[in-house]
Amino acid sequence: MEIAPGAHLFPRYLTIERQHALADQCRAAIDGTVPAYVPIVRGGGRMHVRMLCLGRHWNAQTYRYETARSDFDGLPAPPLPLELRELAHEIAEHAGMNLDADVCILNYYAADGKMGLHQDKDEGPLSLAAGIPVVSVSIGDTARFLFGGLKRRDPIETITLESGDAFVFGGPARLRYHGVSRITPDTAPRELALSGRFNLTFRQSDEACRASS
Ligand SMILES: O=C(O)CCC(=O)C(=O)O
């Protein structure tokens, strides 16, 4: 389903079995040896999610990618598992785009989780100029996803993201503002035994663009 040029929604892209496996993997990751944490952004505000970056770490103070979490505990970002890179590639292909992700930002939203309107623009000039997409996968509780335009004040569309949905924004949609205004507790499929929501966004940084060129 094309939401706008370059923005594609794939409702229930993942079967319940794949959602289950991914939910287990996310749960283990956020409470693993390099656990998810609540980032504090440059202005001093605490984010309303627990975040774990795989592959490369997004530093919430500098807004740059790095190998270790220098804004928090100095631990190295855990590797991005091959099967997750392949999943992101597969979803991007469905949208007619190419993605060789080297980063996955895994966010956990509790009942009061949310994320302000922002652009994903830290992956680097090569990646952004090429319109390489961000691939987003949602697992668990339903989210009210906000999808705006290229300027913060542009009109905003509300999209419901349910468990198993995939959303891709690349090309002319790559820099559109987006965020999450709320999640709806207790809406995750029962089989997942999950309270809250995981969202995984896969990205390709300039490091990966240079490595593949
Ligand atoms: O949780 C979502 O659906 C969006 C996450 C997001 O905007 C981000 O990680 O940049």
Side-chain angles (χ1 to χ4, degrees):
M1 186 193 299
E2 197 177 41
I3 301 288
H8 302 258
L9 174 64
F10 300 104
R12 301 287 159 147
Y13 182 88
L14 294 179
T15 61
I16 193 67
E17 292 77 20
R18 286 179 98 184
Q19 292 176 48
H20 203 291
L22 197 48
D24 285 349
Q25 193 171 4
C26 292
R27 256 191 290 255
I30 66 164
D31 291 321
T33 47
V34 182
Y37 74 110
V38 178
I40 296 175
V41 294
R42 214 150 43 189
R46 280 167 69 84
M47 290 183 72
H48 298 271
V49 292
R50 282 181 71 199
M51 178 180 288
L52 176 64
C53 302
L54 306 174
R56 296 172 67 74
H57 175 68
W58 178 76
N59 182 314
Q61 293 291 312
T62 62
Y63 294 9
R64 288 172 182 273
Y65 288 98
E66 58 191 14
T67 52
R69 316 200 293 190
S70 68
D71 60 327
F72 184 54
D73 55 9
L75 290 173
L80 174 57
L82 180 61
E83 74 274 14
L84 292 185
R85 280 181 62 194
E86 287 174 348
L87 171 65
H89 185 263
E90 168 195 315
I91 294 170
E93 254 185 352
H94 275 271
M97 297 185 204
N98 190 44
L99 173 66
D100 184 9
D102 62 333
V103 175
C104 170
I105 300 186
L106 166 59
N107 288 313
Y108 172 73
Y109 295 75
D112 58 353
K114 59 185 176 178
M115 190 173 292
L117 211 58
H118 65 281
Q119 290 172 299
D120 289 349
K121 58 180 182 186
D122 302 327
E123 287 68 35
L126 294 174
S127 181
L128 299 179
I132 296 174
V134 172
V135 165
S136 153
V137 175
S138 298
I139 299 286
D141 286 339
T142 299
R144 191 202 282 158
F145 180 73
L146 307 177
F147 195 55
L150 296 175
K151 295 197 199 104
R152 185 176 283 279
R153 292 198 182 155
D154 283 346
I156 292 169
E157 188 175 345
T158 298
I159 299 170
T160 301
L161 289 183
E162 297 183 350
S163 193
D165 290 357
F167 186 67
V168 181
F169 54 109
R174 178 61 178 78
L175 285 174
R176 289 178 77 139
Y177 277 85
H178 58 280
V180 172
S181 59
R182 60 163 299 186
I183 70 159
T184 311
D186 303 321
T187 47
R190 260 173 204 287
E191 299 91 317
L192 302 184
L194 175 63
S195 156
R197 169 178 187 255
F198 289 117
N199 176 261
L200 304 96
T201 51
F202 297 91
R203 303 132 189 263
Q204 182 172 336
S205 76
D206 274 6
E207 305 287 328
C209 294
R210 278 191 280 267
S212 67
S213 68

